[in-house]
Amino acid sequence: MAAPRVSVFPSPQELGPALAQLVAERAAGGGDRFSLGLSGGSLVGLLARDLPAAITGPATTGPAAPARWLLAFCDERLVPLEHPESTAGAYQTQLLPRLPGPPPRVLTPATGLPPAAAAEEYAGQLRQAFPGDDVPVFDLLVLGVGPDGHTCSLFPDHPLLQEEDKIVAALTDSPKPPPERITFTLPVLNAARSVVFVATGGSKAQILKRILEGGEEQPLPAARVRPASGELLWFLDEAAAKELNIPVEKHSVL
């Protein structure tokens, strides 16, 4: 289990293209397809702004072409697609129409079901997409982190942090509205070949110090994401990284 690699950019304006380039490079990495798991929130706008440009030109029809992608969502609020809190809905309106060429295959949660049924239905989609794998192994997961240290819909002190059997779990008591959600579990996050966390803004500085410098008896959810055999990356802006006392890779304005 390798130590996380922390990259710090002057601002989100420089971080976005670097994140897009990372996705494009991993997409071009070979194999029959590229499996990508995305989180929502501010990541939607960041990727919608910078990812299409990173995969135009030769990448449109080459190994990085979106037609080869399997796209899934790392968690979802159980609201209609047109609801402003819908992660799938946000990507369908902001990112997917801007991708070049034939679209990727997208696994979309059935949000009209009760939480437990929605989780099982989405787990079924994953099992079909990753046949033969007890736990899906994504090529890349792009995750965010909340001001309380949560990632996906895995919140501090929540029982789902102990889930070891399910690949998708339901919750009806999310401390952040809306309360009904489904989420990838830690076994899925820790099976990925690559995981990149993205965090920006000074409001994240204190929680990032706790996550990345460690030493807590009960690690925060984001600190529990340590891929067993994959790489762990953190993309931060200077405001988010300002309290860190660990080695980081600083990137200047391009």
Side-chain angles (χ1 to χ4, degrees), residues 77-92:
R77 292 94 163 186
L78 297 184
V79 294
L81 284 173
E82 61 272 16
H83 193 284
E85 291 286 348
S86 170
T87 294
Y91 278 109
Q92 286 184 8

Side-chain angles (χ1 to χ4, degrees), residues 39 43 74-75 141-156 161 171 181-186 189 195-198 211 220-225 234:
S39 293
L43 282 170
C74 299
D75 70 324
L141 298 178
V142 183
L143 305 180
V145 58
D148 60 353
H150 84 266
T151 191
C152 300
S153 286
L154 301 171
F155 293 91
L161 294 174
L171 64 164
R181 301 168 176 233
I182 61 173
T183 183
F184 285 0
T185 57
L186 284 172
L189 304 185
V195 174
V196 58
F197 277 99
V198 179
I211 293 167
L220 292 163
R224 296 171 187 247
V225 179
W234 283 80

Side-chain angles (χ1 to χ4, degrees), residues 45-86:
L46 204 63
L47 290 167
R49 184 190 71 192
D50 295 309
L51 184 55
I55 53 173
T56 54
T60 302
T61 55
R68 294 180 54 254
W69 297 9
L70 171 73
L71 177 59
F73 305 109
C74 299
D75 70 324
E76 181 59 286
R77 292 94 163 186
L78 297 184
V79 294
L81 284 173
E82 61 272 16
H83 193 284
E85 291 286 348
S86 170

Side-chain angles (χ1 to χ4, degrees), residues 87-172:
T87 294
Y91 278 109
Q92 286 184 8
T93 57
Q94 296 180 47
L95 174 64
L96 294 179
R98 301 191 61 215
L99 294 179
R105 176 186 175 190
V106 181
L107 305 185
T108 304
T111 56
L113 298 174
E120 184 54 36
E121 191 276 339
Y122 203 49
Q125 290 191 49
L126 288 171
R127 292 189 192 100
Q128 288 186 348
F130 294 85
D133 291 346
D134 292 334
V135 176
V137 178
F138 279 85
D139 293 311
L140 177 64
L141 298 178
V142 183
L143 305 180
V145 58
D148 60 353
H150 84 266
T151 191
C152 300
S153 286
L154 301 171
F155 293 91
D157 302 317
H158 197 280
L160 285 187
L161 294 174
Q162 311 306 321
E163 179 60 60
E164 297 181 353
D165 298 322
K166 295 178 180 177
I167 57 175
V168 180
L171 64 164
T172 59

